[in-house]
């Protein structure tokens, strides 16, 4: 029987940059805020962490810093995916050596692998490490979608713990859950689908919004896991405008903008990402104001 890496909220944490480098003091403060907010895991060097623009040295230093700062209090799950199976395998092995508790493995992007290619890709990586893997399905970004039947076969691997599901299709997700064993955990990959996926048996959410509202996202998953879906639904609806604002432009542009507006020093974006439009910034400000998150100067 596989054990879930975590239940509740795993924050896909931003990576603060300053003058072209990782701002580790600011990163430490962001990690501490997540711990104080009660989150159940931290996902480092994922999409929200802008790992695609980081050098290998930066990635490994950032993962190591996060592991050291968290100091075993909650699991640290390291983003290790790549569109080359060999690179992804080396990333996974490197994160394992650093002491990551789990590995987040996005589907190979751009290559547009077949379902058989996905099976071989993930099996090759899972055979190379002993650290539990979370598959990450986000076809809107990668151009490839893990089908339920593929999930069902991958779920048989003892080292594949579950999936972050961001396909946006609850119908597809239901089929996946029917085909996969109960010990294959599913986490929502979209903040605004958290309650719905938990209602179907999901283990929680790997969240962008928890960068901004960690305690409130934890409350949402706590209500879901307590089967209080009436209250969870109300909170999900209350969170919806913030979730929308945090995806008004491509992630992580809005969430880093939000944190900077809150005075939390998320720092720069790296090209090809760039600051949001004025209209998007106003939308983000409005959503933050609804939660009283803006300093008076803003």
């Amino acid at each position: 029987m596989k054990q879930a890496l975590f239940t509740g909220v795993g924050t896909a944490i931003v990576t603060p940059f300053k003058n072209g480098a990782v701002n580790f003091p600011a990163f430490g403060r962001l990690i501490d805020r997540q711990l104080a907010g009660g989150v159940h895991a931290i996902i480092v060097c994922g999409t929200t962490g802008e790992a695609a623009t980081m050098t290998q040295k930066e990635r490994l230093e950032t993962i190591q810093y996060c592991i050291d700062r968290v100091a075993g209090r909650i699991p640290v799950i390291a983003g290790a995916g790549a569109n080359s199976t060999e690179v992804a395998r080396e990333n996974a092995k490197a994160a394992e050596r650093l002491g990551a508790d789990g590995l987040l493995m996005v589907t190979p992007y751009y290559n547009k692998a077949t379902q058989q290619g996905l099976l071989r890709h993930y099996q090759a990586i899972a055979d190379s490490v002993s650290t539990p893997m979370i598959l990450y399905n986000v076809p809107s970004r990668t151009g490839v979608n893990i089908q339920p039947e593929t999930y069902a076969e991958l779920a048989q691997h003892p080292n594949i713990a579950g999936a972050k599901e961001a396909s946006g299709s609850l119908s597809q997700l239901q089929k996946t859950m029917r085909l996969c064993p109960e010990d294959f955990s599913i986490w929502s990959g979209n903040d605004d689908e958290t309650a719905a996926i938990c209602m179907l048996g999901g283990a929680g959410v790997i969240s962008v919004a928890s960068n901004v509202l960690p305690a409130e996202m934890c409350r949402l998953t706590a209500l879901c896991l307590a089967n209080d879906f009436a209250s969870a639904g109300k909170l999900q609806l209350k969170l919806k405008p913030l979730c929308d604002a945090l995806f008004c432009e491509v992630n992580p542009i809005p969430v880093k903008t939000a944190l900077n507006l809150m005075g939390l020093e998320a720092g720069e974006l790296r090209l090809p990402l760039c600051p949001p439009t004025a209209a998007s910034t106003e939308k983000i400000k409005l959503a933050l104001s609804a939660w009283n998150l803006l300093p008076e100067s803003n």
Side-chain angles (χ1 to χ4, degrees):
M1 186 78 174
K2 299 173 187 174
Q3 296 296 314
L5 270 168
F6 71 95
T7 55
V9 176
T11 297
I13 198 163
V14 303
T15 304
F17 298 117
K18 184 177 182 180
N19 299 325
V22 179
N23 184 346
F24 285 108
F27 190 40
R29 290 189 289 273
L30 292 174
I31 293 168
D32 292 348
R33 183 171 181 269
Q34 292 300 310
L35 294 170
V39 303
H40 308 96
I42 290 180
I43 292 79
V44 60
C45 287
T47 305
T48 310
E50 296 176 85
T53 65
M54 297 171 75
T55 67
Q56 185 70 350
K57 182 175 183 289
E58 285 177 321
R59 284 170 65 121
L60 296 182
E61 288 176 348
T62 302
I63 292 167
Q64 186 69 76
Y65 183 91
C66 187
I67 291 169
D68 292 345
R69 189 81 173 203
V70 171
R73 286 171 284 182
I74 58 175
V76 173
I77 298 161
N83 64 340
S84 159
T85 302
E86 187 56 35
V87 171
R89 183 159 50 186
E90 290 305 312
N91 287 346
K93 290 162 70 174
E96 180 174 76
R97 287 193 296 269
L98 293 176
D101 300 289
L103 305 166
L104 184 68
M105 308 300 299
V106 70
T107 53
Y109 39 86
Y110 184 75
N111 306 49
K112 299 188 76 170
T114 63
Q115 296 303 300
Q116 186 59 223
L118 290 174
L119 281 170
R120 295 185 183 190
H121 172 80
Y122 281 126
Q123 288 167 343
I125 299 165
D127 287 344
S128 301
V129 293
S130 58
T131 303
M133 284 172 36
I134 298 174
L135 313 180
Y136 179 18
N137 190 37
V138 57
S140 65
R141 296 190 78 120
T142 65
V144 64
N145 182 33
I146 304 176
Q147 295 295 330
E149 295 81 5
T150 305
Y151 267 131
E153 190 164 346
L154 289 169
Q156 303 306 314
H157 197 292
N159 204 38
I160 296 178
K164 175 184 177 182
E165 242 302 314
S167 67
S169 172
L170 292 177
S171 177
Q172 177 179 291
L173 178 65
Q174 290 176 67
K175 186 174 182 181
T176 296
M177 288 178 148
R178 287 203 319 271
L179 293 177
C180 291
E182 288 187 12
D183 65 357
F184 184 76
S185 300
I186 300 284
W187 292 272
S188 175
N190 294 322
D191 285 299
D192 61 358
E193 294 179 351
T194 301
I197 289 178
C198 285
M199 185 176 66
L200 293 168
V205 61
I206 294 179
S207 174
V208 173
S210 58
N211 280 278
V212 175
L213 287 175
E216 286 74 9
M217 289 303 297
C218 288
R219 180 167 171 258
L220 175 62
T221 58
L223 290 168
C224 291
L225 296 170
N227 291 319
D228 185 356
F229 287 104
S231 299
K234 290 177 182 177
L235 181 53
Q236 182 78 83
L237 292 175
K238 184 179 178 182
L239 286 161
K240 176 64 171 166
L242 177 68
C243 294
D244 288 347
L246 293 179
F247 287 88
C248 66
E249 293 192 18
V250 68
N251 179 48
I253 293 172
V255 69
K256 290 192 89 169
T257 301
L259 292 170
N260 285 329
L261 287 168
M262 293 165 64
L264 294 176
E265 202 175 358
E268 308 157 354
L269 293 152
R270 280 189 170 173
L271 286 170
L273 301 185
C274 62
T277 65
S280 293
T281 301
E282 287 306 310
K283 185 172 184 177
I284 296 163
K285 285 183 176 180
L286 185 63
L288 294 175
S289 295
W291 290 90
N292 297 314
L293 293 172
L294 285 179
E296 287 189 15
S297 59
N298 285 314

